[in-house]
């Protein structure tokens, strides 16, 4: 990492700026500018988030916004309505109000005296999502966006559902995370005396988002809103789409470079859920700010930077590795492709009967898939954050609980690129069932490294917008699309297809025990194979990462250590407990004197091989203290289920200056329509 000590233009910062909305609500912004921007106006870059620019994202903001200002841009970080220091309430993620506000913000930015009127928008995760969503609204001033680790399909690729199954691990955990965020107050030293009124309005409107998300179990109009895949033609701003092979949102990059009519380029590296210049594993990092500067300079300043001469898609073809929960660097090769789908990627297929070996086939040639409820405890984190325990460990334990189909040792390398697909002929013993597919790289010593995976709630086999129960005992055809990946499986290794009916806590189990029978004769694995010649070009390079000077946040004292991820089994009660500390940053002290404390713990429990014992729980403790102002927020959120309904309970207690200030309980029952 290189710290930029000298920049072409000297940045200055407007710490707290109010941006007025048409309904009178004010949104809070920090604006970094070249100090001569009033004399020499500049284009504007917008990052628009609910994650509190004054504390939570402040260290990350300091790395990039001043850097952009020093390269001739007004770089703006806005707290969304109902978050951080902004007024109003946040009703849901990606609510129409969020997009309408962004359109107003862009118009305001374009009209400022230090602005040329050209605006770009960028962000990772939520900010990447709404950059796409706002681009689809076509605000006249928005000329280009950079979207990182985002999705164009809110139902298919986010924290709610996976293959049409309820994503138990993050449906609960992310709703609980946002519940804790929604309850936090604005900062009195920035907002002034009105801070308490703004906070009271925020607390009065508080409701866990999971109540909304779980009421929409099929891909209905709720999920279509904000999913730009519904109409790619609605986007005319230029799109740079970026993803990481260790991040779950990587499908989006391939879909965007294929589907958008607007100018588009894609980059997929080995990264986790982070900007590609941030030194969180796996690496290698790239000079991402410089890469985006080329994009902005071309589309917002009209400079000839060569970005449109770059390949349509630059991907990092990863080498095979032994299983580990963290890699400092993933070895591999950057490859440039001029189209997607690419003629350099051909299909390879393996029939599960004739081209693989299995110990699961019975005398009738069929294979039964019937796995224990705790299968999935070695899945790793849904969106790896670059922490030591995020990635899946050796899959041999999970493989032992699954039904396996192995290729013979490969006689040549297979360079998997794209979305593998498993076409299955199967029958179910029950009306509802899930199927989980893992693709593994099995070394000669037997170690099993997860390549990628995919799931299908078989009630959604005919479409994610509907629910069709299975007729027990009746054969059906189903196709499971696995998450996109680039992976070299070397000669001498085997490719393993591992099937399971359970994957806790990723897939919330249906209400009863189920088993599937697979017909291997009519089932096949299909993967894209990148031509070996593409790996020899080695013509894709990036600069060394560069950032602005760090903010100067110091770590606060830890409250004791605990594992980031721990699996416990109690044989007496036949109970499996997975605990996860998401480790978003812990305690820290900011240069303005704010002492910030944060502790979160996710707990996933299942007992007695009984799907109805599944419980997901998430607790948060957040402390904010500065001078004589002291806020403590404690939340506890749980999801359980019967055969017919989910039960969602949440509790929040807020203390202000040592006194109990706000307490509320939430208890909701939601019918299980298809999950």
């Amino acid at each position: 990492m290189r710290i930029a000590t000298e920049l072409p233009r000297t940045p200055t910062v407007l710490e707290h700026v109010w941006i007025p909305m048409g309904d009178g609500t004010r949104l809070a912004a920090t604006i970094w500018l070249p100090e001569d921007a009033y004399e020499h106006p500049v284009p504007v870059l917008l990052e628009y988030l609910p994650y509190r620019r004054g504390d939570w994202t402040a260290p990350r903001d300091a790395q990039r916004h001043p850097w952009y200002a020093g390269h001739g841009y007004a770089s703006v970080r806005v707290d969304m309505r109902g978050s951080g220091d902004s007024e109003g309430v946040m009703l849901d993620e990606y609510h129409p109000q969020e997009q309408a506000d962004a359109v107003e913000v862009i118009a305001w930015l374009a009209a400022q005296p230090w602005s040329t009127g050209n605006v770009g928008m960028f962000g990772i995760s939520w900010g990447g999502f709404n950059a796409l969503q706002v681009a689809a609204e076509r605000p006249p001033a928005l000329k280009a966006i950079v979207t990182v680790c985002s999705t164009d399909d809110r139902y298919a690729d986010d924290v709610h559902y996976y293959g049409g199954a309820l994503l138990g691990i993050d449906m609960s955990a992310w709703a609980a995370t946002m519940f804790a965020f929604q309850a936090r107050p604005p900062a009195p030293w920035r907002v002034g005396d009105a801070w308490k009124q703004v906070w009271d309005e925020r607390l009065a409107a508080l409701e866990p988002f999971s109540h909304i998300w779980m009421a929409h179990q099929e891909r209905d109009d709720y999920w279509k809103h904000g999913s730009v895949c519904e109409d790619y033609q609605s986007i005319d701003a230029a799109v740079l789409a970026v993803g990481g092979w260790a991040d779950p949102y990587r499908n989006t990059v391939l879909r965007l470079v294929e589907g958008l009519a607007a100018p588009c380029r894609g980059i997929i590296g080995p990264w986790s859920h982070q900007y590609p210049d941030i030194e969180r594993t796996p690496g290698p990092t790239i000079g991402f700010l410089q890469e985006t500067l080329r994009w902005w300079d071309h589309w917002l300043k009209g400079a000839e930077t060569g970005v449109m001469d770059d390949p349509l898609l630059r991907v990092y073809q990863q080498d095979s590795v032994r299983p580990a929960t963290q890699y400092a660097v993933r070895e591999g090769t950057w490859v440039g492709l001029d189209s997607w789908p690419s003629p350099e990627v051909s299909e390879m297929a393996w029939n599960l009967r004739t081209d693989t070996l299995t110990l699961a086939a019975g005398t009738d040639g069929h294979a039964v898939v019937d796995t224990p409820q705790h299968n999935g405890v070695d899945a790793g984190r849904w969106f790896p954050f670059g922490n030591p325990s995020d990635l899946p460990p050796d899959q041999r334990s999970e493989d032992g609980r699954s039904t396996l189909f192995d290729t013979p040792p490969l006689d040549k390398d297979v360079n998997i690129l794209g979305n593998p697909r498993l076409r299955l002929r199967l029958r179910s013993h029950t009306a509802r069932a899930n199927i989980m597919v893992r693709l593994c790289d099995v070394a000669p010593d037997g170690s099993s490294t997860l390549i990628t995976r995919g799931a299908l709630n078989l009630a959604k086999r005919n479409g994610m917008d509907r629910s069709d129960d299975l007729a027990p005992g009746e054969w059906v055809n189903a196709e499971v699309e696995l998450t996109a990946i680039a992976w070299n499986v070397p000669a001498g290794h085997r490719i393993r297809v591992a099937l399971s009916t359970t994957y806790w806590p990723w897939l919330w189990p249906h209400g009863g025990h189920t088993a599937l029978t697979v017909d291997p004769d009519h089932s096949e694995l299909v993967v894209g194979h990148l031509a070996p010649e593409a790996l020899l070009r080695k013509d894709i390079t990036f600069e060394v990462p560069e950032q602005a000077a760090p903010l100067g946040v110091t770590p606060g004292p830890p409250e004791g250590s605990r594992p980031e991820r721990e699996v416990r089994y109690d044989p007496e009660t036949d109970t499996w407990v997975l605990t996860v500390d998401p480790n978003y940053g812990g305690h820290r002290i900011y240069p303005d004197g704010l002492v910030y404390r944060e502790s979160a713990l996710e707990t996933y429990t299942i007992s007695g091989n009984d799907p109805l014992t599944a419980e997901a729980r998430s607790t948060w403790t957040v402390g904010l203290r500065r001078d004589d102002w002291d806020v403590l927020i404690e939340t506890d959120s749980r999801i359980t289920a019967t055969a017919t309904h989910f039960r969602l309970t949440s509790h929040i207690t807020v203390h202000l200056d040592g006194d109990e200030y706000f307490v509320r309980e939430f208890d909701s029952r939601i019918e299980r329509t298809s999950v």
Side-chain angles (χ1 to χ4, degrees):
M1 175 60 60
R2 182 172 64 212
I3 301 300
T5 56
E6 295 184 8
L7 295 168
R9 295 171 76 169
T10 303
T12 187
V13 60
L14 308 176
E15 294 281 0
H16 184 71
V17 177
W18 289 118
I19 301 179
M21 298 293 98
D23 64 356
T25 302
R26 298 180 301 171
L27 304 188
T30 302
I31 301 175
W32 290 263
L33 293 165
E35 63 179 7
D36 61 348
Y38 283 93
E39 293 78 30
H40 304 284
V42 292
V44 186
L45 305 178
L46 169 63
E47 188 176 23
Y48 175 65
L49 290 169
Y51 300 142
R52 301 178 61 86
R53 77 199 202 290
D55 47 66
W56 215 64
T57 66
R60 189 179 78 190
D61 296 344
Q63 294 171 324
R64 54 207 64 247
H65 289 280
W67 192 92
Y68 282 138
H71 285 84
Y73 289 86
S75 199
V76 181
R77 173 68 173 84
V78 174
D79 283 338
M80 282 168 30
R81 181 185 293 249
S83 70
D85 294 327
S86 290
E87 297 173 346
V89 298
M90 185 165 46
L91 300 172
D92 192 6
E93 61 177 11
Y94 319 123
H95 191 276
Q97 183 69 61
E98 175 183 333
Q99 291 134 35
D101 285 348
V103 170
E104 287 197 62
V105 168
I106 289 169
W108 186 89
L109 294 172
Q112 296 311 296
W114 35 259
S115 169
T116 63
N118 288 338
V119 178
M121 192 170 179
F122 72 92
I124 181 172
S125 199
W126 195 311
F129 284 33
N130 63 32
L132 283 169
Q133 293 161 0
V134 174
E137 299 292 324
R138 293 184 174 177
L142 185 64
K143 308 301 182 186
I145 69 169
V146 174
T147 178
V148 183
C149 297
S150 69
T151 189
D152 59 339
D153 189 332
R154 293 181 54 216
Y155 185 82
D157 290 313
D158 200 4
V159 297
H160 316 97
Y161 296 92
Y162 185 53
L166 183 73
L167 188 60
I169 194 168
D170 260 50
M171 176 67 83
S172 61
W174 193 248
T177 300
M178 289 311 302
F179 187 54
F181 264 105
Q182 291 164 262
R184 302 180 202 191
W189 55 96
R190 286 190 294 269
V191 173
D193 292 341
W195 76 271
K196 202 170 185 181
Q197 179 182 343
V198 173
W199 191 29
D200 287 345
E201 182 183 8
R202 197 174 288 181
L203 291 173
L206 193 64
E207 181 178 354
F209 289 164
S210 53
H211 296 190
I212 305 170
W213 303 338
M214 292 179 66
H216 298 273
Q217 294 166 29
E218 294 79 46
R219 193 178 184 278
D220 57 14
D221 287 342
Y222 173 81
W223 298 111
K224 292 176 183 178
H225 167 76
S227 294
V228 302
C229 63
E230 292 294 306
D231 182 12
Y232 286 127
Q233 306 309 308
S234 65
I235 294 177
D236 53 22
V239 177
L240 176 59
V242 182
W245 294 127
D247 182 76
Y249 298 112
R250 58 208 191 238
N251 289 335
T252 302
V253 178
L254 299 183
R255 290 197 296 255
L256 289 175
V257 296
E258 179 180 2
L260 286 177
C264 183
R265 291 293 182 268
I267 303 173
I268 312 179
W271 314 299
S272 60
H273 198 71
Q274 298 282 351
Y275 279 121
D277 58 319
I278 291 180
E279 294 180 329
R280 300 291 291 267
T281 62
T285 55
I286 65 170
F288 181 65
L289 289 177
Q290 301 98 302
E291 194 65 26
T292 60
L293 186 65
R294 296 175 62 227
W295 190 254
W296 302 129
D297 283 353
H298 180 84
W299 293 107
L300 303 184
K301 293 183 177 179
E304 289 298 329
T305 63
V307 291
M308 297 311 292
D309 297 327
D310 290 336
L312 176 72
L313 180 64
R314 286 170 284 176
V315 297
Y316 192 73
Q317 192 73 21
Q318 301 177 115
D319 292 346
S320 176
V321 287
R322 291 186 60 79
T325 60
Q326 184 183 45
Y327 302 98
V329 171
R330 284 297 309 269
E331 299 299 328
T333 303
W334 281 103
V335 175
L337 301 173
D338 292 325
S339 62
W340 188 263
S342 171
E344 295 190 87
V345 179
S346 58
E347 283 195 347
M348 299 183 70
W350 289 267
N351 177 273
L352 295 193
R353 164 70 64 204
T354 60
D355 300 323
T356 70
L357 306 172
T358 182
L359 300 177
T363 55
D364 58 0
H366 298 154
V368 174
V369 185
D370 183 358
T371 51
Q373 294 296 325
H374 69 278
N375 184 55
V377 294
D378 286 339
R381 188 170 182 170
W382 168 247
F383 58 91
F385 209 63
N387 292 332
S389 67
D390 282 356
L391 302 180
D394 195 317
Q395 295 292 284
R396 278 182 277 197
S397 292
E398 299 279 60
D399 293 349
R401 295 186 282 264
S402 304
T403 299
L404 307 181
F405 298 86
D406 285 4
T407 68
L410 300 175
D411 58 7
K412 62 180 179 180
D413 291 3
V414 175
N415 304 313
I416 299 173
L417 179 58
N419 294 92
R421 303 185 308 281
L422 186 65
R423 297 168 179 155
L424 291 168
R425 184 171 184 259
L426 53 80
R427 64 188 179 197
S428 175
H429 299 195
T430 52
R432 297 248 174 112
N434 294 324
I435 180 75
M436 186 74 196
V437 181
R438 290 179 297 111
L439 201 63
C440 296
D441 176 349
V442 182
D445 67 358
S447 60
S448 178
T449 308
L450 183 72
I451 299 173
T452 187
R453 57 197 145 192
L456 180 63
N457 175 357
L458 290 166
K460 312 287 179 63
R461 66 195 181 279
N462 298 320
M464 295 295 161
D465 59 347
R466 55 189 289 179
S467 177
D468 298 312
D469 282 355
L470 297 154
E474 180 179 301
W475 290 102
V476 298
N477 294 317
E479 181 171 292
V480 184
E481 182 179 87
L482 281 63
T483 306
I485 196 65
W487 191 289
N488 172 268
V489 187
H493 287 219
R494 291 172 287 149
I495 295 175
R496 171 169 291 166
V497 176
L499 305 182
S500 61
T501 51
T502 55
Y503 205 60
W504 175 254
W506 278 42
L507 305 187
W508 198 283
H510 288 288
H513 172 265
T514 188
L516 299 171
T517 301
V518 172
D519 178 1
D521 275 314
H522 297 89
S523 301
E524 68 172 358
L525 170 69
V526 180
V527 304
H529 169 66
L530 177 67
E533 295 76 20
L535 297 172
L536 301 177
R537 290 196 292 263
K538 300 186 183 299
D539 53 352
I540 304 298
T541 59
F542 295 95
E543 294 187 48
V544 172
E546 181 177 287
Q547 296 173 354
L551 182 61
V553 174
T554 57
E559 291 185 346
S561 62
R562 64 185 177 197
E564 276 189 354
R565 185 178 190 88
E566 183 178 48
V567 179
R568 300 193 305 274
Y569 175 58
D570 180 351
E572 182 179 352
T573 61
D574 192 20
T575 298
W576 292 82
V577 181
L578 168 65
T579 56
V580 179
D581 180 347
N583 192 11
Y584 288 121
H587 306 338
R588 39 208 186 267
I589 303 170
Y590 289 84
D592 66 357
L594 176 68
V595 178
Y596 178 88
R597 295 188 296 119
E598 174 182 290
S599 176
L601 187 67
E602 304 164 21
T603 306
Y604 305 96
T605 305
I606 203 156
S607 299
N609 204 28
D610 179 359
L612 297 183
T613 63
E615 179 186 84
R617 180 185 182 189
S618 184
T619 60
W620 275 78
T621 300
V622 176
L624 302 163
R625 178 169 53 82
R626 187 176 189 260
D627 300 326
D628 59 354
W629 181 78
D630 193 351
V631 171
L632 178 66
I633 299 168
E634 297 173 303
T635 69
D636 188 339
S637 304
R638 302 184 191 218
I639 300 177
T640 57
T642 67
T644 59
H645 287 79
F646 290 102
R647 185 181 181 189
L648 289 67
T649 60
S650 296
H651 173 85
I652 181 169
T653 301
V654 177
H655 286 84
L656 175 61
D657 300 332
D659 297 326
E660 189 173 273
Y661 185 75
F662 178 84
V663 178
R664 191 168 176 188
E665 299 272 358
F666 300 85
D667 194 336
S668 178
R669 301 176 81 84
I670 297 174
E671 182 182 1
R672 303 180 71 161
T673 60
S674 61
V675 298

